Amino acid sequence: MNLIFLGPPGAGKGTMAFRAKEHFKIPHISTGDLFRAAIKNETDLGKQVKSILDAGNLVPDELTTSIVKERLQQPDATNGFILDGFPRTLYQAKALKEFSAIDSVVNFTITEDEVIRRLSGRRVCKSCGESYHIEFIPPSKDGICDKCGGELYTRADDQIDAIKNRLSVYGESTEPLISFYKNEGSLVNVDSSQHPDKVFEDLKAILK
Ligand code: AP5
Ligand code: MG
Ligand code: ZN
């Protein structure tokens, strides 16, 4: 199953991808995670994209697309994958069509107010990448990941100015993909404002 998870920042794409990758036994490929790993490891790519991510702007299309193209050629992606955060522009969507067939595009719907609440309270595990929320999905022990015991941190782009910029970039560059994939006949909507267990139930039902 080749899936795209679409939706505004903070919609819960990563949270649902964590559950879905285990359930469907397919890899979770998040361009945001790939960039953040490069930044952490101080690679050339990391140095190139750090200020872009911190501000909430988009990494250039050609660069992002070539990274995804290469990642999809890895053996673990031959039986399916979840693309989280890619494509994000019409350029990327059209490029993807040239090197991969997609079965479903899941559009996670949510209001802007809810996005701001979610992102301002997000904490992410440094070791395994699991997302928490200080109010909605708190870890059992403050600052510690339930799954692996790793330390939780706040993403650099979860500051209010960067959140607002990400929302406007989303509206301008990524939202048009909803009609693009609607026209292709592969779009399904999931109401992401519900409890995470219910969002995941809906997701499984719709992908059956
Ligand atoms: P990326 O990492 O993709 O960030 P994003 O799109 O802004 O999305 P988020 O990760 O913020 O949101 P999410 O939907 O995954 O939400 P989450 O599950 O964590 O991209 C980062 C940057 O990388 C971009 O700004 C850009 O610079 C660059 N980039 C990446 N891809 C690119 C591309 N293709 N082209 C160009 N540049 C690119 O959930 C959010 C919070 O809500 C968490 O705290 C979570 O615990 C909580 N939560 C989740 N679900 C629920 C629920 N149902 N109820 C209550 N709380 C919930
Ligand atoms: Mg994410
Ligand atoms: Zn962890």
Side-chain angles (χ1 to χ4, degrees):
M1 190 162 34
N2 297 349
L3 302 175
I4 291 173
F5 281 8
L6 191 66
K13 303 179 296 293
T15 303
M16 287 305 131
F18 255 74
R19 296 187 183 202
K21 72 171 177 188
E22 281 168 18
H23 183 81
F24 296 112
K25 310 262 182 285
I26 49 178
H28 167 209
I29 301 170
S30 155
T31 36
D33 287 352
L34 292 173
F35 292 136
R36 280 184 293 275
I39 293 171
K40 190 177 155 196
N41 297 326
E42 296 178 1
T43 65
D44 286 343
L45 173 67
K47 285 173 197 152
Q48 208 178 329
V49 301
K50 186 181 184 313
S51 61
I52 301 177
L53 265 85
D54 285 354
N57 292 318
L58 293 181
V59 173
D61 280 334
E62 293 82 0
L63 178 59
T64 309
T65 303
S66 71
I67 289 169
V68 172
K69 189 174 179 186
E70 205 179 298
R71 178 64 186 86
L72 290 182
Q73 282 158 7
Q74 301 296 310
D76 66 336
T78 50
N79 290 321
F81 52 78
I82 303 165
L83 280 178
D84 161 9
F86 183 93
R88 242 179 165 92
T89 62
L90 279 170
Y91 174 100
Q92 294 176 12
K94 288 174 186 163
L96 176 65
K97 263 185 93 162
E98 303 296 317
F99 59 83
S100 190
I102 298 300
D103 300 307
S104 295
V105 179
V106 183
N107 179 36
F108 292 95
T109 61
I110 183 128
T111 63
E112 241 182 69
D113 284 351
E114 191 57 26
V115 160
I116 291 171
R117 260 197 298 277
R118 285 189 181 183
L119 294 182
S120 341
R122 171 163 60 185
R123 299 291 181 273
V124 183
C125 175
K126 257 186 186 161
S127 311
C128 76
E130 177 85 270
S131 272
Y132 295 86
H133 190 282
I134 46 171
E135 200 184 323
F136 309 136
I137 311 177
S140 343
K141 247 195 248 161
D142 252 10
I144 307 284
C145 176
D146 289 347
K147 281 219 168 135
C148 76
E151 187 190 328
L152 304 185
Y153 77 104
T154 303
R155 262 170 55 172
D157 59 352
D158 281 346
Q159 312 298 332
I160 193 66
D161 288 348
I163 293 174
K164 288 199 168 141
N165 187 42
R166 279 152 68 204
L167 277 167
S168 89
V169 169
Y170 167 79
E172 215 166 281
S173 304
T174 311
E175 214 169 17
L177 296 187
I178 297 175
S179 22
F180 177 84
Y181 285 116
K182 213 184 259 172
N183 288 337
E184 302 258 304
S186 49
L187 192 85
V188 292
N189 289 305
V190 168
D191 176 4
S192 196
S193 66
Q194 313 171 92
H195 187 277
D197 294 344
K198 179 70 170 79
V199 179
F200 190 53
E201 282 308 313
D202 287 1
L203 176 67
K204 281 187 296 186
I206 218 158
L207 293 177
K208 250 197 185 140

